[in-house]
Amino acid sequence: MNGADRLAEPLSRVLGARTAGGLAKLGLETVEDLLRHYPRRYGSPGERTDMSALTVGEHVTVMAEVRSTQVRSMRSRGGAMLEAIVTDGHHTLQLTFFAKRAGVLRMHESKLKPGSTGLFTGTVGDYRGRRQLTHPDYLIVGVDAADEAEAVLEASRPIPIYPAAAAVPTWRIGRSVRTVLDPLTDEDVPDPIPAGIRAERSLPTLLEALRAVHVPEREQDWERGQDRLRFEEALVLQTALARRRAAREDLAATPRPPVVDGLVAALDASLPFTLTPAQESVGREIAESLSGATPMMRLLQGDVGAGKTVVALRAMLQVVDAGGQAALLAPTEVLAAQHLRSLEQLLGPLAHGGMLGGDARATRVALLTGSQGSAARRQALGEAASGAAGIVVGTHALLSEGVQFADLGLVVVDEQHRFGVEQRDALRARGDRPPHMLVMTATPIPRTVAMTVFGDLETSTLSDRPPGRAETVTHIVPADNAAWLARTWQRVREEVDQGRRVYVVCPRIDADEQARGEDAPPTEPADAPGDEPFTLEWDGDDAPAASVPLASVTETAAMLADRPELAGVRIGRLHGRLAADAKDAAMAAFASGEAPVMVSTTVIEVGVDVPQATVMIVLDAERFGISQLHQLRGRVGRSTLPGLCLLVSRAEPGSVSRERLEALASTTDGFALAEKDLELRREGDVLGAAQSGGRNSLRLLRVVRDATLIDQARLVARDLVAADPRLETAPALASAISLWLGPEREDFLERG
Ligand code: ADP
Ligand code: MG
């Protein structure tokens, strides 16, 4: 049997059906699955779990010392019970076992010797005010040792603690791992890291690393093992990306070089403002890529209001100048319509192609949405197919719906995190010659993530903002401080009296919405299927438990109408459950100043543009993610009027929720915030989804923490792929890529 076969062996054959059945519940089917199921952390025998932190209903594994045991017979119910008290030194936890006969309990009693240390696992219950585990599974350290020397050794070793399930406690996993690990040799475990690279970096072999993480003798062992496994993950990932990049460079796109006196020049001459230096330089980068014969795949990052639209428009016009067409895709129909308006406004007569008195260079902009009338749709489809429309604006569905283009040269994807993968898939499915792609996002992707996950994209960043914009100041307002709240509404009054507008954002529509579960992140019913912008969101897992109900639009609007500070001020409402015309009416009344205070859900998060809006108040702000709050804040400070953002929250000082709000208050730099967001995500990071994507995916790598390592792996991978594009000299690496990532997962890399 060769190595790969050894690893692919089903656990049922190696461990027997019963054990394998338990492990299957954790998704572990093969020897390799089990070996790649790394301990989550390590206990040391001297350590104790803090019992005061246990919550009822939680499944826990605790390390504790046995203090006492007592077997009692139960007269009332018959049978007997064993009560053991275990302790962390300060608090105690009761373990309870019931049995028909005392004999079974004696067996437990003999293992649970007072003074011994063990791991205990079970669901925390509450019996007469005491925390307890009923019939816990447990492991007493040193009890299984063959002799005393071994017991002493075992008692000094780090104890691997595995991600476990109620049905399979951590030590049973550990025992199974040792059973499969013991007989293996280096030949059985092909190493994805080529020997040369291993030697250069003095890394252990894969087998050595697996032994080190699963059966460490001291702390340095598992640390060294993890380091090497982490590098392996980075290398597999980066090699996959390097190969993808190389493959893309082999594709042919139509070059669309700039022309001297075309639409781009005409637009530049007619713009009511001068481009910022960043818009200029990013424009040059894009112009150059579009001139090339390989498809551009570029991510354009720029904070809210940075002026991405005009950059995209100039790129689209360059393609039109070169005889091609461009498609601009927005995440929602509302935003698509808004894009059409702003493009037509920027273009002026340049969008009146084919019309009397139009500029000879002029083109047309067509809008294609699912909800438009059939006549308008037919006309737009006709203009796209004939080439009369140089620019076609629509939602993402546009490409998959099989809309025909005369010569599609550029696809611009606005405001999304999925990085054009779906669009590329759709285009591939249509068999089109690959167009250039420009993906725009206002939620900045930190450099570390861009490099790790989107390693094959080129990125451009609009690092400055158009001049003359006022800054927005952000404060945290404690929700339980009546004086502060009164001051807040007073401030709202002052703004309104000066002719300005105020948003008040709530996490819920009305009290009934509670049924949807307060633990869920705030969501907004989509306007139409697939019409919801994709946002990268915090899961809100440590937001304070909502013992006080969350603010809702309906209740807040009613409450504000009664506040003495706001007497006589009309309060508008906006949320996703309103009909489209009611939404439009609410927006119009707000924009005109008729209803200068707007209570709403996050529907206003993206794209809404009311320059007189100066104050953004977010209630229960801890319920929202950093990027979402940043987007909300971007709704104010959009003119020369300074903005004010008040985050009303019950988050305790020192909590992660509070830290997120403080990060927001401390900077308006979206990039710094995105980095902070990643840092505060616990398990995770943007790779979170890939990690939970099943077997054999990334486990140890963390984008922020491991940035340097990832960078090193990228260089190694680049050289490797340059020297040996098919990875013939590194077969184990090649198969790790297809096994870990698979064709679908490789795509996943770009989806974030
Ligand atoms: P975003 O990057 O958020 O998509 P937009 O492209 O919508 O930003 O631009 C925001 C506003 O700034 C628009 O009204 C746009 O016309 C304006 N704008 C863009 N570039 C400049 C500039 N260089 N100088 C002044 N205003 C600009
Ligand atoms: Mg925009």
Side-chain angles (χ1 to χ4, degrees):
M1 189 184 290
N2 78 30
D5 295 344
R6 206 65 201 249
L7 293 181
E9 255 189 294
L11 290 172
S12 54
R13 201 179 311 155
V14 191
L15 296 170
R18 214 172 132 250
T19 308
L23 295 170
K25 294 203 179 90
L26 293 165
L28 309 174
E29 307 276 355
T30 66
V31 167
E32 172 148 30
D33 291 344
L34 181 59
L35 293 177
R36 295 287 190 183
H37 189 71
Y38 309 136
R40 191 206 306 278
R41 59 193 171 84
Y42 297 85
S44 70
E47 186 187 288
R48 299 286 177 267
T49 307
D50 178 3
M51 304 272 191
S52 66
L54 301 181
T55 24
V56 172
E58 201 181 14
H59 184 85
V60 296
T61 298
V62 300
M63 176 112 67
E65 185 182 317
V66 180
R67 180 179 280 175
S68 63
T69 56
Q70 191 187 12
V71 177
R72 293 196 278 132
S73 58
M74 294 186 298
R75 243 159 271 127
S76 56
R77 292 164 60 185
M81 71 182 281
L82 167 71
E83 276 177 6
I85 305 293
V86 299
T87 177
D88 61 4
H90 303 282
H91 303 89
T92 59
L93 177 71
Q94 180 170 314
L95 315 179
T96 313
F97 299 85
F98 299 98
K100 280 252 152 40
R101 280 165 294 112
V104 178
L105 299 178
R106 297 285 169 214
M107 182 274 291
H108 287 303
E109 192 182 25
S110 69
K111 286 195 196 166
L112 297 167
K113 286 197 185 73
S116 59
T117 294
L119 285 166
F120 305 90
T121 187
T123 303
V124 181
D126 179 276
Y127 182 69
R128 295 189 175 155
R130 288 181 93 170
R131 296 288 138 96
Q132 71 162 359
L133 303 178
T134 306
H135 289 281
D137 241 307
Y138 63 90
L139 172 78
I140 298 297
V141 175
V143 136
D144 288 339
D147 54 38
E148 199 167 328
E150 197 186 313
V152 169
L153 180 64
E154 198 185 309
S156 71
R157 279 181 183 160
I159 302 165
I161 298 176
Y162 289 90
V168 203
T170 167
W171 49 88
R172 213 161 289 154
I173 298 171
R175 220 170 276 154
S176 301
V177 171
R178 289 195 296 271
T179 306
V180 302
L181 197 53
D182 275 352
L184 293 180
T185 65
D186 273 321
E187 285 69 52
D188 296 325
V189 187
D191 195 334
I193 306 182
I197 296 168
R198 218 166 51 220
E200 244 165 58
R201 304 182 61 94
S202 344
L203 296 171
T205 65
L206 176 54
L207 179 61
E208 285 161 355
L210 291 171
R211 291 222 158 99
V213 297
H214 288 298
V215 206
E217 304 216 328
R218 46 193 118 61
E219 189 171 314
Q220 299 91 293
D221 292 344
W222 62 258
E223 284 173 351
R224 190 167 128 85
Q226 281 194 346
D227 283 347
R228 121 106 225 187
L229 294 171
R230 220 175 265 130
F231 181 76
E232 178 182 315
E233 288 179 10
L235 185 67
V236 171
L237 182 66
Q238 293 301 328
T239 308
L241 289 169
R243 279 215 301 191
R244 176 170 282 267
R245 191 160 42 232
R248 184 160 52 83
E249 279 160 9
D250 284 344
L251 290 177
T254 309
R256 314 279 181 176
V259 302
V260 174
D261 196 18
L263 280 164
V264 178
L267 175 78
D268 286 354
S270 72
L271 281 179
F273 47 74
T274 27
L275 297 172
T276 65
Q279 283 171 324
E280 292 268 13
S281 70
V282 166
R284 276 194 297 276
E285 286 169 18
I286 295 173
E288 194 173 315
S289 301
L290 292 175
S291 312
T294 55
M296 172 175 83
M297 183 64 216
R298 184 175 294 274
L299 179 65
L300 171 58
Q301 314 188 80
D303 214 341
V304 181
K308 294 184 290 294
T309 312
V310 70
V311 172
L313 178 57
R314 294 175 79 240
M316 294 194 285
L317 293 180
Q318 176 174 331
V319 170
V320 176
D321 278 336
Q325 287 168 292
L328 172 58
L329 310 185
T332 66
E333 297 208 339
V334 175
L335 282 184
Q338 190 167 302
H339 268 313
L340 176 75
R341 281 196 298 276
S342 45
L343 293 188
E344 285 185 329
Q345 199 186 345
L346 284 165
L347 285 166
L350 296 175
H352 300 163
M355 278 158 74
L356 211 58
D359 190 299
R361 293 164 295 189
T363 183
R364 297 180 71 88
V365 184
L367 176 69
L368 263 170
T369 65
S371 63
Q372 73 193 151
S374 60
R377 186 174 172 81
R378 246 195 325 275
Q379 178 177 353
L381 285 170
E383 290 183 357
S386 70
I391 297 175
V392 180
V393 182
T395 61
H396 297 162
L398 197 150
L399 293 181
S400 45
E401 279 169 356
V403 174
Q404 295 301 313
F405 290 87
D407 180 11
L408 183 60
L410 170 66
V411 174
V412 180
V413 185
D414 191 25
E415 297 292 3
Q416 71 151 355
H417 285 269
R418 296 168 83 86
F419 302 97
V421 172
E422 277 161 13
Q423 286 74 25
R424 264 196 273 179
D425 291 349
L427 289 165
R428 212 176 291 143
R430 293 158 52 122
D432 284 338
R433 182 161 206 185
H436 299 284
M437 297 219 40
L438 180 66
V439 179
M440 307 199 287
T441 176
T443 306
I445 315 303
R447 197 192 71 87
T448 41
V449 178
M451 186 180 77
T452 313
V453 188
F454 313 111
D456 82 324
L457 301 185
E458 294 145 298
T459 54
S460 294
T461 304
L462 288 179
S463 47
D464 54 14
R465 272 158 50 104
R469 299 276 175 75
E471 278 291 308
T472 296
V473 176
T474 304
H475 296 294
I476 301 171
V477 178
D480 49 11
N481 188 323
W484 280 57
L485 283 175
R487 175 77 196 102
T488 300
W489 305 126
Q490 182 57 41
R491 180 64 196 266
V492 169
R493 178 67 198 227
E494 291 161 19
E495 294 290 322
V496 168
D497 284 347
Q498 293 185 64
R500 297 172 190 165
R501 317 272 188 278
V502 175
Y503 294 103
V504 181
V505 172
C506 308
R508 293 190 299 156
I509 296 178
D510 53 33
D512 294 347
E513 219 191 345
Q514 210 149 357
R516 278 208 282 160
E518 294 191 332
D519 291 330
T523 49
E524 183 59 37
D527 292 334
D531 207 20
E532 194 152 22
F534 179 94
T535 47
L536 175 75
E537 264 328 313
W538 174 260
D539 55 12
D541 63 355
D542 98 318
S547 48
V548 187
L550 295 176
S552 74
V553 172
T554 313
E555 293 162 318
T556 304
M559 182 273 285
L560 290 181
D562 284 345
R563 291 292 306 195
E565 297 88 351
L566 297 177
V569 175
R570 212 180 117 196
I571 316 279
R573 300 169 192 202
L574 186 67
H575 56 75
R577 287 214 308 257
L578 292 178
D581 51 350
K583 273 188 222 166
D584 289 347
M587 261 334 282
F590 180 66
S592 72
E594 205 183 310
V597 175
M598 169 81 90
V599 183
S600 97
T601 55
T602 53
V603 265
I604 55 149
E605 184 185 358
V606 201
V608 175
D609 190 6
V610 177
Q612 299 87 347
T614 50
V615 180
M616 166 63 63
I617 297 172
V618 185
L619 301 180
D620 295 313
E622 73 279 355
R623 308 297 297 187
F624 301 93
I626 285 187
S627 63
Q628 206 171 12
L629 289 169
H630 183 60
Q631 287 284 340
L632 285 171
R633 178 167 63 179
R635 300 303 111 216
V636 298
R638 298 178 71 79
S639 62
T640 51
L641 300 172
L644 173 67
C645 175
L646 298 177
L647 304 172
V648 180
S649 168
R650 282 188 287 262
E652 297 288 334
S655 64
V656 175
S657 304
R658 178 61 178 249
E659 231 185 294
R660 278 156 45 219
L661 300 183
E662 278 162 8
L664 268 146
S666 70
T667 180
T668 50
D669 178 344
F671 286 82
L673 285 173
E675 290 273 2
K676 187 73 189 173
D677 196 10
L678 274 181
E679 220 177 278
L680 292 178
R681 275 161 196 269
R682 223 171 282 155
E683 266 300 276
D685 41 50
V686 177
L687 298 180
Q691 285 168 330
S692 59
R695 305 147 62 184
N696 298 318
S697 49
L698 304 170
R699 294 162 197 283
L700 295 169
L701 204 61
R702 293 287 179 276
V703 228
V704 174
R705 185 195 56 198
D706 300 322
T708 317
L709 186 75
I710 292 167
D711 220 357
Q712 292 169 356
R714 194 163 59 104
L715 298 178
V716 172
R718 199 191 53 190
D719 293 349
L720 214 87
V721 171
D724 177 11
R726 303 165 62 96
L727 299 179
E728 274 156 1
T729 59
L733 180 57
S735 58
I737 291 173
S738 40
L739 183 67
W740 285 25
L741 304 168
E744 324 82 59
R745 281 235 186 84
E746 266 191 82
D747 276 349
F748 192 92
L749 291 178
E750 292 168 13
R751 299 191 179 196

